[in-house]
């Protein structure tokens, strides 16, 4: 079967269309059926990804689609992360009276867009996958129509996202103009033949990098991140902060490594600047935040800085380190936002830092889970977050940028302050009230699993790292 | 020769109408000039033997998008006075930015870096060649995957538009036929006997 590698995408698209019809016909106010079928669709595509994971790259559909070990690992991760997102989101929407079947349908389309990006083999596919993902996300942010902050966040996200897409497309048009092909390896091959530096190529590269930086949320293209994270319903923030980052990482690898590898010395310098600024601004501004969603937004920016470290080292092991980082980051991020959802009550968002005061009295177990997540984000050994930082910093040193590694460690020490402040609030401050946590059994179970995964993976980082190295082999 | 004359005619109309779109005061007139601009560019596309694109432009943009646009412009009744405020104040800055951009564009275009080497110029295809056929072939073979994704994107746009604008049926003031037909006369009509008033 020549089409077999496409099975996860085909299944997901069919399932999303089917779910749309079923949701329209369903009269259930609780949207139970939509929720479970959405989960089933994700599990099905995760299984199909596993079943058809290739050992060698397979290029299909006239060079627009590729299925390789990297795409298989990233797709699997996207599906698993989104399954967890669904569990958290259902609880949130039910508690806040925002249940709409469209959340699940649009999320499935967003996952499809991410899969398209991950498996992109041509400039056109990268762009279309990105648009499919972004359009779904804009709509998800705006879903809570009666909230002015959500509408504001949606408009900001939409306008800046459209601008970034335009930049990316502009850069791609230049690349196409110079190389005369859309296929990424062919673009790379033509660039390699090019004698000397071609100015249009560098122009194109700059615009493409701006597009990637916007989507990742790297400084100085990070303006949308805090507002969108704060304004969106927490369940949507949770989604935006996790799986799409994996897709953006894939986009960066596809465009920079697959498509513009001969220009590595050009994009390395640009990424160093983005990375440094992101780590500095993210970690320092996060300290002054009082809203936890905003704080986590700046923490995301800082993590993106670290993520770029691996890519800019320009080696296969460096890319593997970045891949490890993005997977770990997505896992920690859904955990942290899951805690915000857990603490929320009916029509009340627990999004201030003070809401975490004295959590250890109210629920020692979940205070412990949050403790693991925060320590891991800060990069304390032996948690998985430490290993993520360790691998990328090792690669940066191997690439010869010792000063960059020193700065990265310094910024992560600065960053540790605001993560530990939450631990202090939970364990050493008096609670303002002692109401029990209100959350479904599923939510509690998945969140505990999430926290424990961060803890246990920290004891065997080699396992995940081996997968990443294997995926990045080619 | 005649082809060149036709080209210059439509190009002049295009430039003129495009300039009028942003200078006329009446928004309805602006929209109509935009229609004219689309129409002239469709004519230029026809000269380039891109007949499918030309027809699509007329059908989609002139026929559908601009008509909708006109409706919106007519219905909204926008007050333009506040929009024009501060025009004189920002004019110097605007001119400076425009000049800067013109110089930058001139430098880039004159540098020769943007010489089009790819793709090679298409030759004259002759009257038998069908643009629509070629596009169709490309779309359903080489570009099938992007075409399918574009379809999914449009579907997402429809879902998003409906999800964001449609209110729940209970907030709509629609009549309930099933309640209307079970209504009995006694519930609705009350006959009151009144004394005749004295004059």
């Amino acid at each position: 079967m020549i089409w077999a590698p496409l099975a996860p995408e085909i299944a997901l698209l069919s399932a999303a269309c089917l779910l749309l019809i079923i949701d329209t016909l369903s009269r259930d106010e609780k949207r139970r059926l939509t929720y479970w079928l959405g989960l089933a669709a994700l599990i099905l595509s995760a299984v199909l990804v596993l079943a058809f994971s290739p050992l060698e790259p397979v290029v299909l559909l006239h060079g627009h689609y590729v299925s390789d070990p990297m795409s298989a690992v990233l797709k699997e991760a996207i599906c698993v992360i989104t399954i967890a997102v669904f569990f958290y989101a259902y609880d949130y929407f039910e508690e806040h009276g925002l249940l709409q079947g469209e959340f699940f349908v649009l999320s499935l389309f967003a996952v499809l867009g991410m899969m398209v990006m991950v498996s992109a083999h041509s400039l056109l596919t990268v762009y279309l996958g990105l648009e499919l993902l972004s359009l779904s996300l804009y709509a998800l942010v705006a879903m809570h129509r009666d909230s002015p902050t959500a509408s504001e966040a949606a408009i900001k996200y939409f306008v800046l996202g459209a601008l970034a897409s335009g930049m990316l497309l502009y850069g791609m048009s230049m690349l196409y103009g110079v190389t005369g092909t859309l296929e990424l390896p062919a673009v790379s091959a033509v660039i390699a033949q090019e004698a000397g530096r071609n100015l249009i190529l560098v122009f194109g590269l700059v615009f493409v990098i701006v597009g990637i930086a916007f989507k990742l949320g790297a400084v100085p293209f990070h303006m949308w991140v805090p507002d969108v994270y704060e304004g969106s319903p927490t369940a949507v923030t949770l989604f935006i902060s996790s799986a799409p980052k994996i897709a953006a990482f894939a986009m960066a690898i596809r465009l920079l490594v697959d498509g513009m590898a001969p220009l590595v010395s050009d994009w390395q310098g640009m990424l160093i600047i983005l990375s440094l600024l992101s780590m500095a601004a993210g970690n320092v501004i996060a300290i002054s935040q009082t809203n936890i969603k905003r704080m986590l937004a700046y923490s995301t920016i800082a993590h993106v800085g670290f993520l770029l470290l691996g890519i800019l080292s320009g080696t296969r092991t460096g890319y593997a380190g970045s891949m490890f980082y993005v997977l770990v980051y997505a896992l920690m991020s859904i955990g942290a936002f899951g805690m915000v959802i857990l603490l929320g009550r009916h029509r009340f968002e627990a999004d201030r830092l003070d809401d975490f005061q004295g959590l250890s009295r109210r629920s020692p177990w979940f205070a412990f889970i949050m403790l693991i997540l925060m320590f891991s984000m800060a990069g304390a050994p032996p948690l998985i977050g430490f290993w993520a930082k360790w691998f990328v910093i090792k690669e940066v040193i191997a690439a010869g940028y010792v000063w960059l590694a020193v700065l990265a460690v310094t910024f992560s020490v600065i960053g540790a302050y605001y993560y530990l402040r939450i631990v202090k609030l939970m364990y050493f401050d008096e609670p303002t009230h002692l109401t029990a946590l209100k959350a479904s059994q599923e939510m509690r179970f998945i969140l505990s699993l999430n926290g424990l995964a961060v803890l246990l993976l920290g004891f065997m980082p080699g396992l995940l790292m081996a997968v990443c190295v294997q995926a990045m082999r080619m | 020769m005649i082809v060149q004359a036709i080209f210059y005619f439509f190009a002049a109309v295009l430039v003129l109408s495009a300039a009028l779109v942003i200078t006329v005061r009446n928004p309805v007139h602006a929209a109509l000039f935009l229609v004219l601009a689309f129409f002239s560019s469709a004519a230029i596309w026809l000269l380039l033997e891109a007949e499918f694109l030309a027809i699509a432009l007329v059908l989609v943009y002139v026929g559908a998008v601009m008509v909708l646009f006109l409706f919106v412009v007519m219905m909204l009744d926008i007050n333009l006075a506040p929009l024009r405020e501060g025009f004189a104040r920002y004019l110097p800055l605007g001119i400076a930015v425009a000049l800067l951009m013109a110089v930058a564009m001139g430098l880039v275009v004159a540098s020769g870096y943007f010489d089009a080497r790819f793709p090679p110029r298409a030759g004259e295809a002759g009257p038998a060649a069908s643009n629509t056929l070629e596009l169709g072939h490309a779309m359903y073979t080489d570009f099938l995957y992007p075409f399918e994704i574009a379809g999914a994107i449009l579907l997402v746009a429809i879902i998003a538009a409906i999800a964001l604008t449609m209110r729940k049926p209970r907030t709509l003031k629609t009549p309930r036929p099933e309640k209307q037909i079970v209504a009995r006369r006694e519930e609705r009509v009350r006959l009151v006997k009144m004394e005749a008033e004295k004059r």
Side-chain angles (χ1 to χ4, degrees), chain A residues 211-280:
Chain A
I212 294 173
F214 248 115
K215 296 298 168 187
L216 273 174
V219 180
F221 308 105
H222 67 291
M223 298 79 78
W224 60 273
V225 181
D227 289 337
V228 171
Y229 275 38
E230 190 190 353
S232 318
T234 310
V236 177
T237 313
L238 170 86
F239 187 44
I240 292 177
S241 75
S242 54
K245 295 286 181 241
I246 301 179
F249 162 77
M251 178 170 84
I253 291 289
R254 291 286 182 217
L255 288 174
L256 297 180
V257 180
D258 289 2
M260 286 185 277
L263 293 176
V264 61
S265 55
D266 286 299
W267 52 256
Q268 207 168 27
M270 300 180 203
L271 291 190
I272 288 179
I273 296 172
L274 289 176
S275 163
L276 258 183
L277 287 177
S278 303
M279 285 187 293

Side-chain angles (χ1 to χ4, degrees), chain A residues 17 20 61-62 64-65 102 109 116 124-125 128 131-132 135-136 139 142 145-146 177-178 182 194 198-200, chain B residues 108 113-114 117-119 141-147 149-150 152-153 155-157 159-160 163-168:
Chain A
C17 294
L20 189 63
L61 291 164
H62 299 268
H64 286 290
Y65 175 93
E102 284 83 8
F109 274 108
V116 170
L124 203 55
T125 328
L128 286 172
E131 282 306 280
L132 185 54
L135 279 178
S136 313
R145 285 175 305 189
D146 301 326
V178 175
L182 287 170
E194 197 86 14
N198 184 319
L199 197 68
I200 309 180
Chain B
V108 170
Y113 279 118
F114 283 75
R117 283 171 300 162
F118 296 101
T141 54
D142 291 356
F143 294 92
L144 178 66
Y145 187 48
F147 183 66
I149 306 169
I153 292 178
L155 180 59
V156 166
I159 300 169
L164 293 183
T165 51
M166 200 181 78
R167 295 276 164 183
K168 287 259 160 44

Side-chain angles (χ1 to χ4, degrees), chain A residues 5 9 49 52-54 57-58 65-78 114-120 246 250 254 323 471-472:
Chain A
E9 280 90 345
V49 170
F52 295 110
S53 64
V58 185
Y65 175 93
V66 66
S67 176
D68 55 10
M70 179 185 105
S71 75
V73 174
L74 290 182
K75 278 184 204 171
E76 194 65 39
I78 288 171
M114 291 186 242
M115 285 192 169
V116 170
M117 282 164 81
V118 166
S119 268
I246 301 179
R254 291 286 182 217
M323 187 168 163
M472 279 295 169

Side-chain angles (χ1 to χ4, degrees), chain B residues 24-71:
Chain B
V24 289
R25 285 183 172 259
N26 188 330
V28 176
H29 291 175
L32 287 173
F33 276 118
L34 195 56
V35 171
L36 184 61
F38 281 141
F39 205 80
S40 332
S41 34
I44 293 176
W45 258 340
L46 266 184
L47 285 180
L48 288 171
E49 297 185 6
E51 74 275 0
F52 179 76
L53 288 179
I55 293 167
L57 185 72
V58 172
L59 285 183
V60 176
Y61 276 87
V62 178
V65 176
M66 285 316 296
V67 170
L68 205 67
F69 215 86
L70 267 178
F71 269 122

Side-chain angles (χ1 to χ4, degrees), chain A residues 56-350:
Chain A
E56 296 293 315
V58 185
V59 178
L60 282 177
L61 291 164
H62 299 268
H64 286 290
Y65 175 93
V66 66
S67 176
D68 55 10
M70 179 185 105
S71 75
V73 174
L74 290 182
K75 278 184 204 171
E76 194 65 39
I78 288 171
C79 286
V80 171
I81 292 282
T82 313
I83 289 171
V85 169
F86 271 29
F87 275 110
Y88 297 151
Y90 185 77
D91 221 60
Y92 174 85
F93 286 126
E94 197 182 18
E95 190 67 21
H96 292 258
L98 295 172
L99 264 180
Q100 266 183 303
E102 284 83 8
F103 171 82
F104 302 105
V105 177
L106 285 173
S107 301
L108 287 189
F109 274 108
V111 172
L112 181 66
M114 291 186 242
M115 285 192 169
V116 170
M117 282 164 81
V118 166
S119 268
H121 200 248
S122 76
L123 294 172
L124 203 55
T125 328
V126 172
Y127 179 72
L128 286 172
L130 177 66
E131 282 306 280
L132 185 54
L133 165 65
S134 310
L135 279 178
S136 313
L137 290 184
Y138 304 147
L140 285 177
V141 173
M143 200 68 104
H144 188 190
R145 285 175 305 189
D146 301 326
S147 149
T149 49
S151 306
E152 185 195 332
I155 288 287
K156 274 185 185 162
Y157 194 20
F158 177 64
V159 172
L160 288 174
L163 189 70
S165 296
M167 297 264 190
L168 187 69
L169 202 58
Y170 192 34
M172 285 177 174
S173 74
M174 288 185 194
L175 288 181
Y176 177 65
V178 175
T179 59
T181 173
L182 287 170
E183 226 172 300
L184 288 166
V187 170
S188 183
V190 176
I191 295 175
Q193 287 170 4
E194 197 86 14
R197 275 159 59 113
N198 184 319
L199 197 68
I200 309 180
L201 272 183
V202 180
F203 256 95
L205 172 66
V206 170
F207 280 109
V208 166
I209 287 201
V210 168
I212 294 173
F214 248 115
K215 296 298 168 187
L216 273 174
V219 180
F221 308 105
H222 67 291
M223 298 79 78
W224 60 273
V225 181
D227 289 337
V228 171
Y229 275 38
E230 190 190 353
S232 318
T234 310
V236 177
T237 313
L238 170 86
F239 187 44
I240 292 177
S241 75
S242 54
K245 295 286 181 241
I246 301 179
F249 162 77
M251 178 170 84
I253 291 289
R254 291 286 182 217
L255 288 174
L256 297 180
V257 180
D258 289 2
M260 286 185 277
L263 293 176
V264 61
S265 55
D266 286 299
W267 52 256
Q268 207 168 27
M270 300 180 203
L271 291 190
I272 288 179
I273 296 172
L274 289 176
S275 163
L276 258 183
L277 287 177
S278 303
M279 285 187 293
N283 277 322
V284 173
I285 302 176
I287 291 174
S288 63
Q289 302 303 319
T290 53
N291 180 306
I292 185 154
K293 281 159 83 179
R294 251 187 129 71
M295 189 201 91
L296 287 172
Y298 282 105
S299 129
T300 302
I301 295 170
H303 283 296
V304 165
F306 274 96
L307 169 71
L308 290 174
L309 285 181
I311 301 180
L312 67 84
S313 68
T315 57
R316 288 279 152 194
T317 41
Y319 308 146
S322 268
M323 187 168 163
F324 184 90
Y325 201 103
V326 78
L327 296 180
V328 167
Y329 165 73
L331 190 67
M332 296 188 300
S333 175
I334 54 167
F337 281 110
M339 285 299 299
V340 179
I341 292 180
L342 182 80
L343 291 187
R345 289 185 305 280
H346 186 62
R347 314 255 159 137
F348 167 76
E349 295 257 16

